[in-house]
Amino acid sequence: MIYQVYVRSFLDSTGDGVGDLAGVRAGLPYLKKLGVDGIWLSPFYPSPQHDHGYDVADYCDVDPLFGDLAEFDLLVGAARRLGVKVLLDIVPNHCSSEHPWFREALAASPGSEARARFHFADGRGPDGDEPPNNWHAMFGGPAWSRVTEADGRPGQWYLHMFTPEQPDWNWRDPEVAAEFDRVLRFWLDRGVDGFRIDVAAGLFKHPELPDSDDPEADARTRDSVNPLAWNQPEVHEVWRRWRSICEDYTERDGFERLLVGEVSVPTAREHAQYVRPDELHQAFFFDLLSAPWDPDAFQKVISEAMQDIAGTGSTVTWVLNNHDQVRTVTRYGEPATEGSGLGAARARAAALLMLALPGAAYIYQGEELGLPEVVDLPDDVLTDPIFHRTGSRARIRDGCRVPLPWSGQASPFGFTSGEESAKPWLPQPEYFAEYATDRALADTRSFWHLYRDGLQLRGTLPQLGEGTLRWLDAPPGVLAFARGDDLVCAVNFGTAPTPAPVSGTPLLASGPCPAGVLPGSTAAWWIGNS
Ligand code: GLC
């Protein structure tokens, strides 16, 4: 189980209202107590922060906002002593428009080597003032921006599948591939255990960059569905090479390195291609996260993953929350029924379900506290480029990125140790007091204890290790499956109680669960035969 640390919102050690690497180091004992195997750090590299660090200006350094390389080394050392693995977030699809190579490309002329590292092309139309093709960017607007050439005239266009400040690399240029090999080695030499790979189904575009039949599909769905821009077959070569770099390090020191990809592709079968034995070790399988709170939807997604991914000998990597998605407590609580606690009960049940599934699990900071999405942030504090580029509040990402509450009754809830005037970079609502980590640790009924207990059992019960699952007969509205010979997990998606599939008291349950009964919106684990 890997814990995703969104660095700017985890813990602030300097008092500027932004979390940092020293804050992560200070939080490691807390994470160790929770039972994580490792952490994934969101990007902390030098960046103008147009997309919170997913616009990297220098892949081999630390932004002063988050610390420096010496602090990074301290963090890795401290994590190693605690037995917590460290994964970095690497962003190979695009960089920042402030990356020195992009600046060089802007200053260079059309057709130059410097421009070949990106996708520069002449515009269409008589004056070249129409973009080279009709693609739209994921976060709204055209996927091309026009540059001004050295002579002051409007010139070529460059491709950016996200914001204009995130130019896409041209992976057909061998220098780009070589540069990323160097970046990987730089961090592996510094002791990291692996990488979460941003936009791992990206990198290569159709070589002709042709028009798309449905140019707005990416922006409309906010999913990488343009078949000309994503999931090109050449990308697999990159994962093979990165895997072999990792294996080199393992051969040297015996420690396994881990590559986990953010892979959004249409089907589980295509997904499975990314986790072939010589490619990525893991790839987030987002279908569980996208599934509505419905037993048939969950069963379909899990069955597909087991058949098409686990069935080919690879690991399935489950995830319910991350820094791009509405948090489960809120997502499952919709339509919101004030004070019903339904979303929270379902999120707890989903957590137990995920932790019982074969494969890897990732949790996103605050998930272990049952944090809801902050849905009422005022427009003037929103930072998500999606909001600024589309003007739409629909599916913006600030609400899941609000700094964590650690202690106390009022903001900053121990998040920032600075002056009283130093405000967290996004405002924390008053109700965050209920979710502070100190309260969660003190209350055995908290989300935190559920995750901690679940993780402990997951680490000790052989049934929850490698292997598959067997679906069991269950009443309507209930999903039940067995792991190993005798571990049963059941989830009641409905609101009325049903008979439990196993007699006796459960080993662990997401809510009060008397023997013989599985209450509504509850999951439980039993040892025994159904
Ligand atoms: C990934 C990241 C997201 C970022 C985007 C562009 O989807 O998870 O936060 O905005 O890539 O790098």
Side-chain angles (χ1 to χ4, degrees), residues 4 6 40 51 54-55 89 91 94 138-139 162 166 196 198-199 262 322-324 384-385 397 401:
Q4 179 188 357
Y6 196 66
W40 142 31
D51 188 18
Y54 286 97
D55 46 329
D89 203 323
V91 189
H94 46 266
M138 294 285 289
F139 297 166
F162 292 88
Q166 293 166 297
R196 176 265 186 189
D198 192 58
V199 193
E262 182 198 28
N322 67 30
H323 66 296
D324 295 328
D384 188 349
R397 302 171 297 172
R401 298 174 176 181

